[in-house]
Amino acid sequence: ENKIYIETLGNQQVSGVVVYDFSGRVVFEESAEGKNSYDLSSLATGLYLMEISTGKDSSSWHKIIKE
């Protein structure tokens, strides 16, 4: 499956997702308040860094592997 699902704790909501390749280039970006699934089918197989924003100054980073 080419979708990624994001769960948050408490009443936090995802405000945006940015995916970077390892050269630092943005390869996917979507900002959608309250959305919890994202279609990553446009990405090639490989290793990526994903930034998940959950508020004005709050974000977390995750490594993802697309097979």
Side-chain angles (χ1 to χ4, degrees):
E1 186 166 330
N2 286 311
K3 284 190 176 183
I4 191 161
Y5 297 90
I6 300 171
E7 287 187 37
T8 59
L9 298 175
N11 61 354
Q12 290 183 328
Q13 290 191 10
V14 174
S15 58
V17 171
V18 182
V19 178
Y20 302 87
D21 64 15
F22 268 79
S23 66
R25 188 176 45 144
V26 174
V27 294
F28 177 86
E29 184 172 14
E30 190 167 330
S31 58
E33 193 69 37
K35 189 173 177 183
N36 70 345
S37 67
Y38 298 87
D39 183 5
L40 301 180
S41 60
S42 63
L43 299 181
T45 299
L47 188 60
Y48 298 92
L49 289 175
M50 179 174 58
E51 179 183 18
I52 302 171
S53 300
T54 55
K56 183 178 178 182
D57 295 321
S58 179
S59 64
S60 60
W61 290 84
H62 305 272
K63 188 174 11 175
I64 58 173
I65 300 170
K66 172 89 185 296
E67 296 180 336

